[in-house]
Amino acid sequence: MNTILSVIALIEDSLPETLRVEQIAARSGYSRWHLQRQFKRATGMSISQYQRHRLLSLAAEKIATTEHRILDIAIEFGFESQEAFARAFKRFAMVAPKNIRQQPIWAKRLSLAERKAGTGTLRKP
């Protein structure tokens, strides 16, 4: 589990930029395939899915708590267009990004739950 926690810390430290799985594997000392299997077993999602969900949850928080344009937030979090961001956001949150504006409670509920160290259970942040 320490490996997974260190991978999560590495991902969190790099946000809003995303790291390629190969970069994460090289830094962890494990093969890409082994690391991906272990990560999925521990978290229930792939490394790429985790990074995407974290980006979208951070974007939701920024939308809810600032007056920045959604386009600017989309670009900040690595999306090429507002449309691509809106599609990904809707798949993630089941609601359009504009509906999160001024709704910090929604953004908080969209954040990923944190795993308790050494268990497969989730707890709310």
Side-chain angles (χ1 to χ4, degrees), residues 2-115:
N2 284 339
T3 300
I4 302 308
L5 293 176
S6 64
V7 167
I8 289 172
L10 178 63
I11 291 168
E12 293 294 324
D13 289 345
S14 72
L15 291 172
E17 291 190 34
T18 57
L19 299 172
R20 290 187 348 265
V21 175
E22 294 83 7
Q23 292 172 298
I24 296 169
R27 291 184 189 179
S28 72
Y30 291 96
S31 76
R32 172 186 176 173
W33 309 114
H34 176 76
L35 185 61
Q36 286 185 33
R37 277 191 307 274
Q38 295 303 313
F39 193 91
K40 179 120 182 173
R41 186 177 354 190
T43 65
M45 63 182 77
S46 71
I47 293 171
S48 297
Q49 287 172 319
Y50 179 84
Q51 289 185 101
R52 174 63 59 107
H53 287 176
R54 285 296 294 133
L55 286 174
L56 291 167
S57 66
L58 291 172
E61 182 179 340
K62 191 157 194 170
I63 291 168
T65 60
T66 71
E67 292 298 322
H68 294 120
R69 295 181 323 158
I70 291 176
L71 173 60
D72 295 334
I73 293 169
I75 291 169
E76 177 184 346
F77 287 95
F79 291 86
E80 294 183 14
S81 69
Q82 186 169 338
E83 292 78 17
F85 174 71
R87 277 192 307 274
F89 195 92
K90 265 186 128 169
R91 277 193 306 270
F92 170 69
M94 309 297 189
V95 65
K98 67 181 180 179
N99 295 338
I100 298 293
R101 184 74 71 195
Q102 303 302 321
Q103 298 293 328
I105 190 70
W106 284 29
K108 188 172 196 120
R109 289 183 178 157
L110 292 174
S111 67
L112 284 178
E114 178 183 332
R115 284 198 177 268

